[in-house]
Structures are given as structure tokens and as C-alpha cells.
Amino acid sequence: MRRQDKADRIGEILDDLYPDPPVPLDHSSPYTLLVAVALSAQTTDKKVNEVTPALFAVADTGEDGGDSNPRRSSRSSARSASRRRRHATCDAWRSRSSTVGAR
């Protein structure tokens, strides 16, 4: 049996066992499903379903995303928060090292 034949047979068995599997991610189009799936690789489906309504209110098609403000997305905001913490830590070390050298 060829590899493709095995894959086809497995597909048929899965189709018989699960004829209409539910999709746990909320979506309204193939694009929103794609975005939700990409986000679900980073967190739980429950959390994705909590944050995507706000994201899709701003950009629910691929064309909308280029015009929106990237700071509105939770990932961008998390990145900015991480950057602020790093800068605060660096500033604290700089001020500490400048006072140590002054003694």
C-alpha cells in the first residue's frame, strides 16, 4: 500500500468517526479562523476566544490589518510592556552603577 493510499484511508476513517467536528475557536470567516489558530498556538483556545472579538472589531480581514494601529493588539501591547520593563531595569542598573563609581 502506497503512502498516499494510507493517508486517504486514514482520512476516510476519521471522516466516518468525526463527520462534523466542532471548531472550538470563535470565527466568522476563513481569515478570522486562520488568525485564531495562529494565536491558539501561543495560548489556550479559551483565551483566544476572549481576546479575538476586540481584535476582529478592528481588523477582521487581511486588508484591515495594515491600516490598524499595531499597539491595539494584545501581542504588541505585551511586547511594549516587556520593552518598558527592560528599559526600567537598564535605567536602574545605570543609575546604580553611576552612584557606585561616585563613591
Side-chain angles (χ1 to χ4, degrees):
M1 182 177 260
R2 293 179 318 138
R3 183 179 224 168
Q4 185 61 50
D5 294 335
K6 287 180 185 179
D8 291 341
R9 179 66 183 132
I10 291 169
E12 291 169 6
I13 292 169
L14 289 173
D15 286 342
D16 290 342
L17 291 173
Y18 307 101
D20 194 19
V23 178
L25 299 169
D26 296 339
H27 63 285
S28 59
S29 69
Y31 176 77
T32 58
L33 178 59
L34 175 67
V35 171
V37 168
L39 292 173
S40 72
Q42 303 300 317
T43 188
T44 64
D45 292 347
K46 180 180 176 184
K47 190 64 173 175
V48 170
N49 287 335
E50 289 175 16
V51 301
T52 51
L55 175 64
F56 296 149
V58 175
D60 65 348
T61 67
E63 290 82 33
D64 294 341
D67 297 335
S68 66
N69 182 347
R71 291 194 179 270
R72 291 182 188 155
S73 75
S74 60
R75 183 172 183 163
S76 178
S77 296
R79 210 178 297 131
S80 296
S82 175
R83 191 175 299 124
R84 283 192 300 274
R85 281 193 302 275
R86 275 197 317 271
H87 286 295
T89 303
C90 290
D91 291 343
W93 277 103
R94 276 190 216 112
S95 66
R96 182 177 177 193
S97 63
S98 65
T99 58
V100 170
R103 290 183 186 176

